[in-house]
Amino acid sequence: MKIPKRLQPLVDDGLIDEVVAQLMSGKEAQVYVVRSGGELRCAKVFKEAKQRSFKQAVQYQEGRKVRNSRQGRAMAKKSRYGQKEQEQAWLNAEVDALYRLAGAGVRVPRPHGFVDGVLLMEMIHDAEGYAAPRLDDVTLGAEEAREHHTRVIGEVVRMLCAGLVHGDLSEFNVLLDARGPVIIDLPQAVDAAGNNSAAMMLERDVDNMRAYFGRFAPELLETDYAKEIWALYESGELHPESRLTGCFAHDTRLVDVDDLLAVIEDAREEQAERLAALARSEEDEG
């Protein structure tokens, strides 16, 4: 096929030997099948910000590191330079997440480089060697659904143990190869420890998977893995091999208002005593 303009520099540099076909076009990027390094790979060409329908919401950017204070100030002011830097940080997020998660044993496409807004990565195949389908494109039996659901939850746990939450997980960004689910599309991945919305996003991700697999195995609709996983994470007890039950005991105890007010009053008195002591110290020095 004709070489797309965005891929021509990679062809010129020898990173891509041949562009075979376009695989898909989504809200974030266009993906091509290419021949590179003696094998078929995928080249994900990110669309420019004005062409993308997925918005870089503030809640996704919270907790992301910037290179330096100048970059951070520019991004906060939304100057032209800041917008350019913010765009680059957004694009780099998926690359960083892929390397981080692949290193942690999470089933994601192996990255092979990122040049000029093009991510070169492993092509995920099905059992026949064709491009693997998305979960949304397959029909599952009840036993298959239970098995794949267990594996996806396991990948979510491994991601969280590596410090990341996908943030947009659904049947549209999970591929199914010969060995099971593979998670894709990570530009909006968030830092679990540095983002105040991480718990909410994890719950949404897990609930999306519960709803999808529950179409084929309805008993999964009664599970509550998200809160169980997050509770273990917060307590420092979550690890890749954690045995999950899918159950979570919600705290239904009523708050004792009198006790709460007493704690608040004690805190106020302690603060008042500290301020008074500080004032006396300043008077003695004067």
Side-chain angles (χ1 to χ4, degrees):
M1 65 173 290
K2 181 179 179 181
I3 299 174
K5 182 178 179 180
R6 294 280 300 279
L7 294 183
Q8 188 64 56
L10 281 77
V11 174
D12 295 340
D13 292 341
L15 296 173
I16 293 176
D17 302 319
E18 177 190 2
V19 180
V20 179
Q22 181 172 325
L23 184 59
M24 60 84 68
S25 180
K27 61 187 179 183
E28 281 286 298
Q30 292 175 310
V31 180
Y32 296 87
V33 177
V34 301
R35 196 172 300 280
S36 172
E39 63 182 17
L40 290 179
R41 293 176 179 170
C42 284
K44 184 173 184 178
V45 181
F46 288 93
K47 295 179 179 179
E48 295 181 2
K50 61 184 179 182
Q51 297 177 315
R52 296 200 307 261
S53 60
F54 191 99
K55 304 303 180 183
Q56 298 181 28
V58 173
Q59 65 176 177
Y60 289 101
Q61 299 171 43
E62 182 185 1
R64 289 185 175 177
K65 294 181 175 63
V66 295
R67 290 180 300 174
N68 51 54
S69 58
R70 176 173 177 257
Q71 183 192 34
R73 289 194 300 271
M75 290 168 66
K77 292 179 180 179
K78 297 187 183 300
S79 64
R80 180 174 297 179
Y81 168 75
Q83 291 175 346
K84 181 179 178 181
E85 289 296 294
Q86 188 170 21
E87 174 71 3
Q88 191 60 41
W90 181 258
L91 296 180
N92 285 335
E94 177 158 22
V95 184
D96 294 342
L98 281 178
Y99 277 105
R100 185 170 171 181
L101 295 177
V106 179
R107 294 210 69 208
V108 294
R110 292 191 312 276
H112 290 287
F114 182 56
V115 181
D116 295 332
V118 179
L119 172 60
L120 196 60
M121 58 185 173
E122 173 189 11
M123 180 176 174
I124 306 300
H125 300 273
D126 64 11
E128 284 74 41
Y130 297 104
R134 299 180 306 182
L135 280 179
D136 184 58
D137 295 324
V138 301
T139 299
L140 303 172
E143 186 56 38
E144 285 181 306
R146 286 188 286 268
E147 180 181 344
H148 292 327
H149 177 263
T150 297
R151 292 198 176 189
V152 169
I153 294 301
E155 299 304 328
V156 169
V157 168
R158 289 186 186 87
M159 288 179 65
L160 188 54
C161 289
L164 292 176
V165 174
H166 188 287
D168 190 36
L169 190 61
S170 73
E171 61 271 27
F172 299 104
N173 43 40
V174 177
L175 301 180
L176 199 59
D177 74 0
R179 294 194 295 144
V182 179
I183 293 174
I184 62 171
D185 293 342
L186 290 146
Q188 72 294 313
V190 301
D191 182 272
N195 192 300
N196 290 321
S197 300
M200 178 274 291
M201 292 183 188
L202 178 92
E203 185 166 354
R204 185 176 63 197
D205 286 352
V206 174
D207 288 353
N208 283 344
M209 292 291 89
R210 178 181 62 189
Y212 171 76
F213 288 111
R215 301 178 198 170
F216 310 102
E219 69 275 13
L220 293 176
L221 299 175
E222 304 302 319
T223 60
D224 196 356
Y225 283 98
K227 289 185 172 62
E228 181 185 14
I229 291 169
W230 192 259
L232 289 171
Y233 172 72
E234 282 194 313
S235 66
E237 298 176 2
L238 186 70
H239 54 82
E241 305 305 323
S242 290
R243 295 179 64 86
L244 303 176
T245 65
C247 301
F248 182 77
H250 295 266
D251 190 350
T252 58
R253 294 174 297 177
L254 296 176
V255 175
D256 189 317
V257 177
D258 291 337
D259 283 350
L260 180 59
L261 291 175
V263 170
I264 294 173
E265 186 59 32
D266 288 344
R268 285 176 176 169
E269 290 178 0
E270 289 178 6
Q271 177 67 3
E273 291 174 1
R274 283 194 294 269
L275 292 175
L278 179 61
R280 288 194 296 271
S281 177
E282 291 176 349
E283 288 176 0
D284 291 342
E285 291 177 358

